[in-house]
Amino acid sequence: EPQTVLIVDDEEMMRQYLYDVLSRHGYDCKCFEGSLAALSYMAAANDSPQLLLTDISMPGMSMRLISLVPSKIRFTRASR
């Protein structure tokens, strides 16, 4: 069963790039333009994603999203 990756970024090109790269390697990618949509997905989903990739400087509540994700999700900060 493929691992689920949440991609949360307000830039469509970045979401699409990450989706293309990760899905080619067998990951089940879910893309969201903002934190609220990602939080809604996580609240409704049966499983927690294994990885969250998010732009921490996007408008809205991106840092709040990180604080609300389940602790079993791996978190790594990457810079551009």
Side-chain angles (χ1 to χ4, degrees):
E1 183 173 321
Q3 293 187 325
T4 302
V5 177
L6 293 189
I7 300 168
V8 185
D9 198 302
D10 57 330
E11 295 179 28
E12 185 176 353
M13 276 183 34
M14 180 59 72
R15 287 192 314 270
Q16 189 62 51
Y17 172 75
L18 291 169
Y19 177 87
D20 291 344
V21 169
L22 294 170
S23 61
R24 261 185 269 151
H25 291 285
Y27 292 96
D28 177 23
C29 299
K30 310 292 185 199
C31 295
F32 303 95
E33 186 174 354
S35 301
L36 291 176
L39 286 171
S40 295
Y41 169 82
M42 285 192 291
N46 292 333
D47 291 337
S48 294
Q50 285 72 45
L51 178 66
L52 167 67
L53 296 175
T54 185
D55 178 350
I56 61 170
S57 64
M58 68 182 172
M61 53 180 273
S62 55
M63 288 306 292
R64 178 89 171 126
L65 170 65
I66 292 169
S67 70
L68 293 174
V69 297
S71 61
K72 62 183 173 182
I73 295 177
R74 196 169 56 220
F75 174 71
T76 302
R77 183 176 180 174
S79 59
R80 290 188 202 200

Coordinates of all heavy atoms in Angstrom, one line a residue:
E1 N 0.8 -1.2 0.0 CA 0.0 0.0 0.0 C 0.9 1.2 0.0 O 1.8 1.4 0.8 CB -0.9 0.0 1.2 CG -1.8 1.1 1.3 CD -2.8 1.0 2.5 OE1 -3.3 -0.1 2.7 OE2 -3.1 2.0 3.1
P2 N 0.6 2.2 -0.9 CA 1.5 3.4 -1.0 C 1.3 4.3 0.3 O 0.2 4.3 0.9 CB 1.0 4.1 -2.2 CG -0.4 3.6 -2.5 CD -0.4 2.2 -1.9
Q3 N 2.4 4.9 0.6 CA 2.4 5.9 1.7 C 1.7 7.2 1.2 O 1.9 7.6 0.1 CB 3.8 6.2 2.2 CG 4.3 5.0 2.9 CD 5.7 5.3 3.6 OE1 6.4 6.1 3.1 NE2 5.9 4.7 4.7
T4 N 1.0 7.8 2.1 CA 0.3 9.1 1.8 C 1.1 10.3 2.2 O 1.6 10.4 3.3 CB -1.1 9.2 2.5 OG1 -1.8 8.0 2.1 CG2 -1.8 10.4 2.1
V5 N 1.2 11.2 1.2 CA 1.9 12.5 1.4 C 1.0 13.6 1.2 O 0.3 13.7 0.2 CB 3.1 12.6 0.4 CG1 3.8 14.0 0.6 CG2 4.1 11.5 0.6
L6 N 0.9 14.5 2.2 CA 0.1 15.7 2.0 C 1.0 16.8 1.5 O 2.0 17.1 2.1 CB -0.6 16.2 3.3 CG -1.7 15.3 3.9 CD1 -2.3 16.1 5.1 CD2 -2.7 14.9 2.9
I7 N 0.6 17.5 0.4 CA 1.4 18.6 -0.1 C 0.5 19.8 0.0 O -0.6 19.9 -0.5 CB 1.7 18.4 -1.6 CG1 2.6 17.1 -1.8 CG2 2.4 19.6 -2.2 CD1 2.7 16.6 -3.2
V8 N 1.0 20.8 0.8 CA 0.2 22.0 1.1 C 1.1 23.2 0.7 O 2.1 23.5 1.4 CB -0.2 22.1 2.6 CG1 -1.1 23.3 2.8 CG2 -0.8 20.8 3.1
D9 N 0.7 23.9 -0.3 CA 1.5 25.0 -0.8 C 0.5 25.9 -1.6 O -0.3 25.4 -2.3 CB 2.6 24.6 -1.7 CG 3.7 25.6 -1.9 OD1 3.3 26.8 -2.3 OD2 4.8 25.4 -1.5
D10 N 0.7 27.2 -1.4 CA -0.2 28.2 -2.2 C 0.2 28.4 -3.6 O -0.5 29.0 -4.4 CB -0.3 29.5 -1.4 CG 1.0 30.2 -1.2 OD1 2.0 29.4 -1.1 OD2 1.1 31.4 -1.2
E11 N 1.4 27.9 -4.0 CA 1.9 28.0 -5.4 C 1.6 26.7 -6.1 O 2.1 25.6 -5.8 CB 3.4 28.2 -5.4 CG 3.8 29.6 -4.7 CD 5.3 29.8 -4.8 OE1 6.0 29.2 -5.7 OE2 5.8 30.5 -3.9
E12 N 0.7 26.8 -7.2 CA 0.3 25.7 -7.9 C 1.5 25.0 -8.6 O 1.5 23.7 -8.6 CB -0.7 26.1 -9.0 CG -1.3 24.9 -9.7 CD -2.3 25.2 -10.7 OE1 -2.8 26.4 -10.8 OE2 -2.8 24.3 -11.4
M13 N 2.5 25.7 -9.1 CA 3.6 25.1 -9.7 C 4.4 24.2 -8.8 O 4.8 23.1 -9.1 CB 4.6 26.1 -10.3 CG 4.2 26.6 -11.7 SD 5.3 27.8 -12.5 CE 6.9 27.3 -11.9
M14 N 4.5 24.6 -7.5 CA 5.3 23.8 -6.5 C 4.5 22.6 -6.2 O 5.0 21.5 -6.1 CB 5.5 24.7 -5.3 CG 6.3 23.9 -4.2 SD 7.9 23.3 -4.7 CE 8.8 24.8 -4.8
R15 N 3.1 22.7 -6.0 CA 2.3 21.5 -5.7 C 2.4 20.5 -6.8 O 2.6 19.3 -6.6 CB 0.8 22.0 -5.5 CG 0.5 22.7 -4.2 CD -1.0 22.8 -4.0 NE -1.8 23.2 -5.1 CZ -2.1 24.5 -5.4 NH1 -1.6 25.5 -4.6 NH2 -2.8 24.8 -6.4
Q16 N 2.3 21.0 -8.1 CA 2.3 20.1 -9.2 C 3.7 19.4 -9.3 O 3.8 18.2 -9.6 CB 2.0 20.9 -10.5 CG 1.8 20.0 -11.7 CD 0.7 19.0 -11.5 OE1 -0.4 19.4 -11.2 NE2 0.9 17.7 -11.7
Y17 N 4.8 20.2 -9.1 CA 6.1 19.6 -9.2 C 6.3 18.5 -8.2 O 6.7 17.4 -8.5 CB 7.2 20.7 -9.0 CG 8.6 20.1 -8.9 CD1 9.2 19.6 -10.0 CD2 9.2 20.0 -7.6 CE1 10.5 19.1 -9.9 CE2 10.5 19.5 -7.5 CZ 11.1 19.0 -8.7 OH 12.4 18.5 -8.5
L18 N 5.9 18.8 -6.9 CA 6.1 17.8 -5.9 C 5.2 16.6 -6.1 O 5.6 15.4 -6.0 CB 5.7 18.4 -4.5 CG 6.7 19.4 -4.0 CD1 6.2 20.1 -2.8 CD2 8.1 18.7 -3.7
Y19 N 4.0 16.8 -6.6 CA 3.1 15.7 -7.0 C 3.7 14.8 -8.0 O 3.7 13.6 -7.9 CB 1.7 16.3 -7.4 CG 0.8 15.2 -7.9 CD1 -0.1 14.5 -6.9 CD2 0.7 14.8 -9.2 CE1 -0.9 13.5 -7.3 CE2 -0.1 13.7 -9.6 CZ -0.9 13.1 -8.7 OH -1.8 12.1 -9.0
D20 N 4.2 15.4 -9.1 CA 4.7 14.7 -10.2 C 5.9 13.8 -9.8 O 6.0 12.6 -10.1 CB 5.2 15.6 -11.3 CG 4.1 16.3 -12.1 OD1 2.9 15.8 -11.9 OD2 4.3 17.3 -12.8
V21 N 6.8 14.4 -9.0 CA 8.0 13.7 -8.6 C 7.6 12.5 -7.6 O 8.1 11.4 -7.8 CB 9.0 14.6 -7.9 CG1 10.1 13.9 -7.2 CG2 9.6 15.6 -8.9
L22 N 6.8 12.8 -6.6 CA 6.5 11.8 -5.6 C 5.6 10.7 -6.1 O 5.8 9.6 -5.8 CB 5.9 12.5 -4.4 CG 6.9 13.4 -3.6 CD1 6.2 14.2 -2.6 CD2 8.0 12.6 -3.0
S23 N 4.6 11.1 -6.9 CA 3.7 10.1 -7.4 C 4.4 9.1 -8.4 O 4.1 7.9 -8.4 CB 2.5 10.7 -8.1 OG 2.8 11.5 -9.2
R24 N 5.4 9.6 -9.1 CA 6.2 8.7 -10.0 C 7.0 7.7 -9.1 O 7.3 6.6 -9.7 CB 7.3 9.5 -10.8 CG 6.8 9.8 -12.2 CD 7.9 10.5 -13.0 NE 7.6 11.9 -12.8 CZ 8.6 12.8 -12.8 NH1 9.8 12.5 -13.0 NH2 8.2 14.1 -12.6
H25 N 7.2 8.0 -7.9 CA 7.9 7.0 -7.0 C 7.0 6.2 -6.1 O 7.4 5.6 -5.2 CB 8.9 7.8 -6.1 CG 10.1 8.3 -6.9 ND1 11.1 7.5 -7.4 CD2 10.3 9.6 -7.3 CE1 12.0 8.3 -8.1 NE2 11.5 9.5 -8.1
G26 N 5.7 6.3 -6.5 CA 4.7 5.4 -5.8 C 4.0 6.0 -4.6 O 3.2 5.3 -4.0
Y27 N 4.2 7.2 -4.3 CA 3.5 7.8 -3.2 C 2.1 8.3 -3.6 O 1.8 8.7 -4.7 CB 4.2 9.1 -2.7 CG 5.5 8.7 -2.0 CD1 6.7 8.7 -2.7 CD2 5.6 8.3 -0.7 CE1 7.9 8.4 -2.1 CE2 6.8 8.0 -0.1 CZ 7.9 8.0 -0.8 OH 9.1 7.7 -0.2
D28 N 1.2 8.2 -2.6 CA -0.2 8.6 -2.8 C -0.3 10.1 -2.4 O -0.3 10.3 -1.2 CB -1.2 7.8 -2.0 CG -2.6 8.2 -2.1 OD1 -3.0 8.9 -3.1 OD2 -3.4 7.9 -1.2
C29 N -0.2 11.0 -3.3 CA -0.1 12.4 -3.0 C -1.5 13.1 -2.9 O -2.3 12.9 -3.8 CB 0.8 13.2 -4.0 SG 2.4 12.5 -4.0
K30 N -1.7 13.9 -1.9 CA -2.9 14.7 -1.8 C -2.5 16.2 -1.7 O -1.7 16.5 -0.9 CB -3.7 14.4 -0.5 CG -4.0 12.9 -0.3 CD -4.9 12.3 -1.3 CE -5.2 10.9 -0.9 NZ -5.8 10.1 -2.0
C31 N -2.9 17.0 -2.7 CA -2.5 18.4 -2.8 C -3.6 19.3 -2.3 O -4.8 19.2 -2.6 CB -2.1 18.7 -4.2 SG -0.7 17.8 -4.9
F32 N -3.1 20.4 -1.6 CA -4.0 21.4 -1.0 C -3.4 22.8 -1.2 O -2.2 22.9 -1.0 CB -4.3 21.1 0.4 CG -4.9 19.8 0.7 CD1 -4.1 18.7 1.0 CD2 -6.3 19.6 0.5 CE1 -4.7 17.4 1.2 CE2 -6.8 18.3 0.7 CZ -6.0 17.2 1.0
E33 N -4.2 23.7 -1.5 CA -3.7 25.1 -1.7 C -3.6 25.8 -0.4 O -2.8 26.8 -0.3 CB -4.7 25.9 -2.6 CG -4.2 27.2 -3.0 CD -5.1 27.9 -4.0 OE1 -6.1 27.3 -4.5 OE2 -4.9 29.1 -4.2
G34 N -4.2 25.4 0.6 CA -4.1 26.1 1.9 C -4.3 25.1 3.1 O -4.7 24.0 3.0
S35 N -4.0 25.7 4.3 CA -4.0 24.9 5.5 C -5.4 24.4 5.9 O -5.5 23.3 6.3 CB -3.4 25.7 6.7 OG -2.1 26.1 6.4
L36 N -6.4 25.2 5.7 CA -7.7 24.8 6.1 C -8.2 23.6 5.3 O -8.8 22.7 5.9 CB -8.7 26.0 5.9 CG -8.5 27.2 6.9 CD1 -9.5 28.3 6.5 CD2 -8.7 26.7 8.3
A37 N -7.9 23.6 4.0 CA -8.3 22.4 3.2 C -7.6 21.2 3.7 O -8.2 20.1 3.7 CB -8.1 22.7 1.7
A38 N -6.3 21.3 4.0 CA -5.5 20.1 4.5 C -6.1 19.7 5.8 O -6.2 18.5 6.1 CB -4.1 20.5 4.6
L39 N -6.4 20.6 6.7 CA -7.0 20.2 8.0 C -8.3 19.5 7.8 O -8.6 18.5 8.5 CB -7.1 21.4 8.9 CG -5.8 22.0 9.5 CD1 -6.1 23.3 10.2 CD2 -5.2 21.0 10.4
S40 N -9.1 20.0 6.9 CA -10.4 19.4 6.7 C -10.2 17.9 6.2 O -10.9 17.0 6.6 CB -11.2 20.2 5.6 OG -11.6 21.4 6.1
Y41 N -9.3 17.8 5.3 CA -9.0 16.4 4.8 C -8.5 15.5 5.9 O -9.0 14.4 6.1 CB -7.9 16.5 3.7 CG -7.4 15.1 3.3 CD1 -8.1 14.3 2.5 CD2 -6.2 14.6 3.9 CE1 -7.7 13.0 2.2 CE2 -5.8 13.3 3.6 CZ -6.5 12.5 2.7 OH -6.1 11.3 2.5
M42 N -7.6 16.0 6.8 CA -7.1 15.2 7.9 C -8.2 14.8 8.8 O -8.2 13.7 9.4 CB -5.9 15.9 8.5 CG -4.6 15.8 7.7 SD -3.2 16.3 8.6 CE -3.5 18.0 8.9
A43 N -9.1 15.7 9.1 CA -10.2 15.5 10.0 C -11.1 14.4 9.5 O -11.7 13.6 10.2 CB -11.0 16.8 10.3
A44 N -11.3 14.3 8.1 CA -12.2 13.4 7.5 C -11.6 12.1 7.1 O -12.3 11.1 7.0 CB -12.9 14.0 6.3
A45 N -10.3 12.1 7.0 CA -9.6 10.9 6.5 C -9.5 9.8 7.6 O -9.4 10.1 8.8 CB -8.2 11.2 6.1
N46 N -9.6 8.5 7.1 CA -9.4 7.4 8.1 C -8.0 7.2 8.5 O -7.8 6.8 9.7 CB -9.9 6.1 7.4 CG -11.4 6.1 7.1 OD1 -12.2 6.8 7.8 ND2 -11.8 5.4 6.1
D47 N -7.1 7.5 7.7 CA -5.6 7.4 8.0 C -5.0 8.7 8.1 O -5.4 9.6 7.4 CB -4.9 6.5 7.0 CG -5.4 5.1 7.0 OD1 -5.9 4.6 8.0 OD2 -5.2 4.4 5.9
S48 N -3.9 8.8 8.9 CA -3.1 10.0 8.9 C -2.0 9.8 7.8 O -1.5 8.7 7.6 CB -2.4 10.1 10.2 OG -3.3 10.4 11.2
P49 N -1.6 10.9 7.2 CA -0.6 10.8 6.2 C 0.8 10.5 6.9 O 0.9 10.8 8.0 CB -0.5 12.2 5.5 CG -1.1 13.1 6.6 CD -2.1 12.3 7.3
Q50 N 1.7 9.9 6.1 CA 3.0 9.6 6.7 C 3.9 10.8 6.6 O 4.9 10.8 7.3 CB 3.6 8.4 5.9 CG 3.0 7.1 6.3 CD 1.6 6.9 5.8 OE1 1.3 7.2 4.6 NE2 0.7 6.4 6.6
L51 N 3.6 11.7 5.7 CA 4.5 12.8 5.5 C 3.7 14.1 5.1 O 2.7 14.0 4.3 CB 5.5 12.5 4.4 CG 6.5 13.6 4.0 CD1 7.5 13.9 5.1 CD2 7.3 13.2 2.8
L52 N 4.1 15.2 5.6 CA 3.4 16.5 5.3 C 4.5 17.4 4.7 O 5.5 17.7 5.4 CB 2.8 17.2 6.6 CG 2.4 18.6 6.4 CD1 1.2 18.7 5.5 CD2 2.1 19.2 7.8
L53 N 4.3 17.9 3.5 CA 5.2 18.9 2.9 C 4.4 20.1 2.8 O 3.3 20.2 2.1 CB 5.6 18.4 1.5 CG 6.4 17.1 1.4 CD1 6.7 16.7 0.0 CD2 7.8 17.3 2.1
T54 N 4.8 21.2 3.5 CA 4.1 22.4 3.5 C 5.0 23.6 3.4 O 6.2 23.6 3.8 CB 3.2 22.6 4.7 OG1 2.4 23.7 4.6 CG2 4.0 22.6 6.0
D55 N 4.5 24.7 2.8 CA 5.2 25.9 2.7 C 4.9 26.7 4.0 O 3.7 27.0 4.2 CB 4.7 26.7 1.5 CG 5.3 28.1 1.3 OD1 6.0 28.5 2.3 OD2 5.1 28.7 0.3
I56 N 5.9 26.9 4.9 CA 5.6 27.5 6.2 C 5.4 29.0 6.1 O 5.0 29.6 7.1 CB 6.6 27.1 7.2 CG1 8.0 27.6 6.9 CG2 6.6 25.6 7.5 CD1 9.0 27.4 8.0
S57 N 5.7 29.6 4.9 CA 5.5 31.0 4.8 C 4.3 31.4 4.0 O 4.2 32.6 3.6 CB 6.8 31.6 4.2 OG 7.0 31.2 2.9
M58 N 3.4 30.5 3.7 CA 2.3 30.9 2.9 C 1.2 31.6 3.7 O 1.2 31.5 5.0 CB 1.6 29.7 2.2 CG 1.0 28.7 3.1 SD 0.4 27.3 2.1 CE -0.1 26.2 3.5
P59 N 0.4 32.4 3.1 CA -0.6 33.2 3.9 C -1.6 32.2 4.6 O -1.8 31.1 4.1 CB -1.4 33.9 2.8 CG -0.5 33.9 1.6 CD 0.3 32.7 1.7
G60 N -2.1 32.7 5.7 CA -3.1 31.8 6.4 C -2.4 31.2 7.6 O -1.7 31.9 8.3
M61 N -2.7 30.0 7.9 CA -2.3 29.4 9.2 C -1.4 28.2 9.0 O -1.6 27.2 9.6 CB -3.6 29.0 9.9 CG -4.5 28.1 9.2 SD -6.0 27.6 10.1 CE -5.4 26.1 10.9
S62 N -0.4 28.4 8.2 CA 0.5 27.3 7.9 C 1.3 26.7 9.2 O 1.4 25.5 9.3 CB 1.5 27.6 6.8 OG 2.2 28.8 7.2
M63 N 1.7 27.6 10.0 CA 2.4 27.1 11.3 C 1.3 26.5 12.2 O 1.6 25.5 12.9 CB 3.1 28.3 12.0 CG 4.3 28.8 11.3 SD 5.5 27.5 10.9 CE 6.1 27.0 12.5
R64 N 0.1 26.9 12.2 CA -1.0 26.3 13.0 C -1.2 24.9 12.4 O -1.4 23.9 13.2 CB -2.2 27.1 12.9 CG -3.4 26.5 13.6 CD -3.4 27.0 15.1 NE -4.7 26.5 15.7 CZ -4.7 25.8 16.8 NH1 -3.6 25.5 17.4 NH2 -5.9 25.4 17.3
L65 N -1.2 24.7 11.1 CA -1.3 23.4 10.5 C -0.3 22.4 11.1 O -0.6 21.3 11.5 CB -1.2 23.5 9.0 CG -1.1 22.2 8.2 CD1 -2.4 21.4 8.4 CD2 -0.8 22.4 6.8
I66 N 1.0 22.9 11.1 CA 2.0 22.0 11.6 C 1.8 21.6 13.0 O 2.0 20.5 13.4 CB 3.4 22.7 11.4 CG1 3.7 22.8 9.9 CG2 4.5 22.0 12.1 CD1 4.9 23.7 9.6
S67 N 1.3 22.5 13.8 CA 1.1 22.2 15.3 C -0.1 21.3 15.5 O -0.2 20.6 16.5 CB 0.9 23.5 16.1 OG -0.4 24.1 15.7
L68 N -1.0 21.1 14.5 CA -2.2 20.3 14.6 C -2.0 18.9 14.0 O -2.9 18.1 14.3 CB -3.4 21.0 14.0 CG -3.9 22.3 14.7 CD1 -5.0 22.9 13.9 CD2 -4.3 22.0 16.1
V69 N -1.0 18.7 13.3 CA -0.9 17.4 12.6 C -0.5 16.3 13.7 O 0.1 16.6 14.7 CB 0.2 17.4 11.5 CG1 -0.2 18.3 10.4 CG2 1.6 17.7 12.0
P70 N -1.0 15.1 13.4 CA -0.7 14.0 14.4 C 0.8 13.8 14.6 O 1.6 14.0 13.6 CB -1.3 12.8 13.7 CG -2.4 13.3 12.8 CD -1.8 14.7 12.4
S71 N 1.2 13.5 15.8 CA 2.6 13.4 16.1 C 3.4 12.3 15.3 O 4.6 12.4 15.2 CB 2.8 13.2 17.6 OG 2.2 12.0 18.0
K72 N 2.6 11.3 14.8 CA 3.3 10.3 14.0 C 3.7 10.7 12.6 O 4.4 10.0 11.9 CB 2.5 9.0 14.0 CG 1.2 9.2 13.3 CD 0.4 7.8 13.3 CE -1.0 8.0 12.8 NZ -1.7 6.8 12.9
I73 N 3.3 11.9 12.2 CA 3.8 12.4 10.9 C 5.2 13.0 11.0 O 5.5 13.7 11.9 CB 2.8 13.5 10.3 CG1 1.4 12.9 10.1 CG2 3.4 14.1 9.1 CD1 0.4 14.0 9.7
R74 N 6.0 12.6 10.1 CA 7.4 13.1 10.1 C 7.4 14.5 9.6 O 6.8 14.9 8.7 CB 8.2 12.2 9.1 CG 9.6 12.2 9.2 CD 10.3 11.2 8.3 NE 9.9 11.3 7.0 CZ 9.6 10.2 6.2 NH1 9.7 9.0 6.7 NH2 9.2 10.4 4.9
F75 N 8.2 15.3 10.4 CA 8.3 16.8 10.0 C 9.8 17.1 9.9 O 10.6 16.9 10.7 CB 7.7 17.6 11.1 CG 7.9 19.1 10.9 CD1 7.2 19.8 10.0 CD2 8.8 19.8 11.7 CE1 7.4 21.1 9.7 CE2 9.0 21.2 11.5 CZ 8.3 21.8 10.5
T76 N 10.1 17.7 8.7 CA 11.4 18.2 8.4 C 11.3 19.5 7.7 O 10.5 19.7 6.8 CB 12.2 17.2 7.4 OG1 12.2 15.9 8.0 CG2 13.6 17.7 7.2
R77 N 12.1 20.4 8.2 CA 12.1 21.8 7.6 C 13.1 21.8 6.5 O 14.3 21.5 6.7 CB 12.3 22.9 8.6 CG 12.3 24.2 8.0 CD 12.4 25.3 9.0 NE 12.3 26.6 8.4 CZ 12.3 27.7 9.0 NH1 12.4 27.7 10.3 NH2 12.2 28.8 8.3
A78 N 12.7 22.2 5.3 CA 13.6 22.4 4.2 C 13.5 23.8 3.7 O 12.5 24.4 3.8 CB 13.2 21.4 3.1
S79 N 14.6 24.3 3.2 CA 14.6 25.7 2.7 C 14.7 25.6 1.1 O 15.1 24.6 0.6 CB 15.8 26.5 3.2 OG 17.0 25.8 2.9
R80 N 14.3 26.7 0.5 CA 14.4 26.7 -0.9 C 15.8 27.2 -1.4 O 16.4 27.9 -0.9 CB 13.4 27.7 -1.5 CG 12.0 27.2 -1.3 CD 11.1 28.2 -2.0 NE 9.7 28.1 -1.5 CZ 8.7 28.4 -2.1 NH1 8.7 28.9 -3.3 NH2 7.5 28.3 -1.5

